[in-house]
Amino acid sequence: MTPFPPVSSWREACAADASLAAWHGPWSIDFAIASDSETAVFSVLDGKPQPNTAGEPAFTLAAPQAVWRKFLQPIPPRHHHGIFAMHYRVPEFTIQGNQLAFVQHAHIARRVLEIGKWLALGNQPPVPVNLAPRQGPRPAPNSQGGYVPVTIGGITHQIYYETAGTGRDVLCMHTAGSDGRQFHGLMADSRIIDHHRLVAFDMPWHGKSPPPDAAVPGSWRLNTDFYVELIMGFMAAAHLDKPIALGASMSGEICLELAYRHPEAFTGIVACEACEKIERRQTSWAAHPRSTSRCSFRNGSGHSARRKVPPNTRKQSPGTTARAVRRCSMATSHSIPATGTPVSVSAGSIPTGARCSC
């Protein structure tokens, strides 16, 4: 299958893949990847990829060869790095068939595509867990931690935070569904901590910040006003004096809101992957009881559900964040709060305006 590797070797690599083997279970799925008129079908029976058999696909990821060639580049161009980015931003890419089945098995399809990419780039199995593995051991920060109380709307939250370095404070805000451990790499980087004091806190219900007393399980919700009040309350409780605000994706967007509402409270703003307004920010796939546990949370497939309930997956420092801090880029901007109405999802449709966030 052009531009992918031969289907036989691709299936064999999937059958031998350690990541897919770790996700085995009492479930089965057949799906296809189509490039123009050519189609490769993959079958997973009782959680095990089959090297020689394939049935009728429940869903198909389809795109012209030109789109797949961009996806298969070592460093793909914008919007071509993953299936969700292509779904939302590349019109030629389509997800055909049973949409709910795709949502439930998106992590499987994504790994199969990673395996295909590894082979297409001329590499041999086994396929590493990460196609861009870390160079050397993970750095360990020399950080200190503690808790401060932050009261919002009469409810007190015990907020955990960590600090590392000396110099101007940098307030590090993690992405949706993650926690302050995202910044451990930056906290171990002498180029940063020799001149800056990084302060990373875990939002309520995330990391080491527990739910407030008597909180109803699953009741965590986040809106713009609460987010801003939480940040300003933490800054006061932790005695931060005009820090540099640093965030990416969700926290990058709140950086714009902080610049708009409280410009006097910050020395600078580093807003990565931020946008002043995004329609339908909340992805309704998250609310579907047949997709939430497998796709959004356990395997971290990238749905905005992670804003509602923290998953068990944890991401590390985004490269964009690291580069931004090293440049010490600072900017302020007016912001329009993100708005949007969740839309329903069924077995036959995907909300076309929904957006995945990190």
Side-chain angles (χ1 to χ4, degrees):
M1 178 182 178
T2 304
F4 287 104
V7 176
S8 57
S9 59
W10 193 357
R11 288 176 179 167
E12 290 175 0
C14 291
D17 184 62
S19 293
L20 291 176
W23 298 336
H24 75 279
W27 54 271
S28 300
I29 188 67
D30 292 88
F31 65 93
I33 297 172
S35 177
D36 290 335
S37 60
E38 299 183 59
T39 301
V41 181
F42 297 86
S43 179
V44 183
L45 180 62
D46 292 330
K48 298 179 180 180
Q50 302 299 299
N52 300 314
T53 61
E56 184 68 22
F59 61 89
T60 299
L61 308 180
Q65 289 189 17
V67 172
W68 286 123
R69 290 188 187 280
K70 292 179 181 179
F71 169 81
L72 293 174
Q73 292 180 19
I75 302 178
R78 187 184 186 193
H79 304 322
H80 291 77
H81 60 280
I83 53 179
F84 289 106
M86 290 192 293
H87 171 60
Y88 293 125
R89 296 290 185 255
V90 180
E92 298 87 353
F93 177 88
T94 60
I95 302 172
Q96 304 168 2
N98 189 319
Q99 307 294 289
L100 179 58
F102 161 71
V103 173
Q104 291 172 320
H105 301 90
H107 58 298
I108 303 298
R110 183 170 62 181
R111 182 57 181 172
V112 168
L113 282 170
E114 288 179 347
I115 295 170
K117 180 172 183 174
W118 178 262
L119 299 177
L121 291 174
N123 302 303
Q124 298 298 317
V127 182
V129 174
N130 189 331
L131 300 191
R134 182 185 301 276
Q135 300 299 317
R138 184 187 303 277
N142 182 19
S143 59
Q144 296 180 328
Y147 283 89
V148 293
V150 177
T151 300
I152 304 175
I155 299 176
T156 298
H157 304 267
Q158 297 298 328
I159 302 300
Y160 177 78
Y161 70 101
E162 292 182 345
T163 66
T166 57
R168 167 61 63 185
D169 286 343
V170 178
L171 178 61
C172 304
M173 296 170 287
H174 61 75
T175 56
S178 191
D179 59 49
R181 284 178 289 176
Q182 278 190 321
F183 297 96
H184 279 184
L186 303 184
M187 288 181 170
D189 192 328
S190 61
R191 295 171 296 178
I192 299 172
I193 61 176
D194 285 351
H195 307 286
H196 297 84
R197 175 176 175 260
L198 272 59
V199 182
F201 72 94
D202 296 346
M203 295 180 65
W205 298 75
H206 294 64
K208 292 184 178 180
S209 293
D213 292 341
V216 177
S219 63
W220 166 253
R221 296 293 185 274
L222 182 63
N223 59 46
T224 302
D225 291 339
F226 178 93
Y227 202 176
V228 171
E229 193 169 350
L230 172 69
I231 294 167
M232 302 306 296
F234 171 76
M235 287 173 50
H239 305 292
L240 302 187
D241 181 24
K242 299 192 69 173
I244 299 170
L246 165 65
S249 189
M250 178 188 76
S251 56
E253 292 182 13
I254 205 63
C255 281
L256 303 183
E257 196 69 30
L258 294 173
Y260 176 53
R261 298 191 186 194
H262 301 283
E264 76 291 341
F266 299 92
T267 296
I269 298 291
V270 181
C272 305
E273 301 175 326
C275 181
E276 64 177 2
K277 185 177 182 180
I278 296 177
E279 298 293 345
R280 293 180 176 177
R281 177 67 188 244
Q282 197 173 53
T283 301
S284 59
W285 290 337
H288 200 293
R290 293 179 62 191
S291 67
T292 296
S293 61
R294 177 179 293 177
C295 190
S296 298
F297 301 152
R298 190 185 72 184
N299 299 296
S301 290
H303 305 319
S304 295
R306 292 179 291 181
R307 178 167 316 178
K308 290 185 175 181
V309 184
N312 293 326
T313 57
R314 305 296 179 195
K315 297 189 291 185
Q316 297 300 319
S317 303
T320 51
T321 303
R323 289 191 295 270
V325 175
R326 288 165 186 160
R327 296 189 187 114
C328 282
S329 302
M330 302 176 191
T332 57
S333 171
H334 290 283
S335 169
I336 303 174
T339 60
T341 304
V343 293
S344 61
V345 64
S346 66
S349 64
I350 281 183
T352 56
R355 176 185 184 273
C356 290
S357 66
C358 54

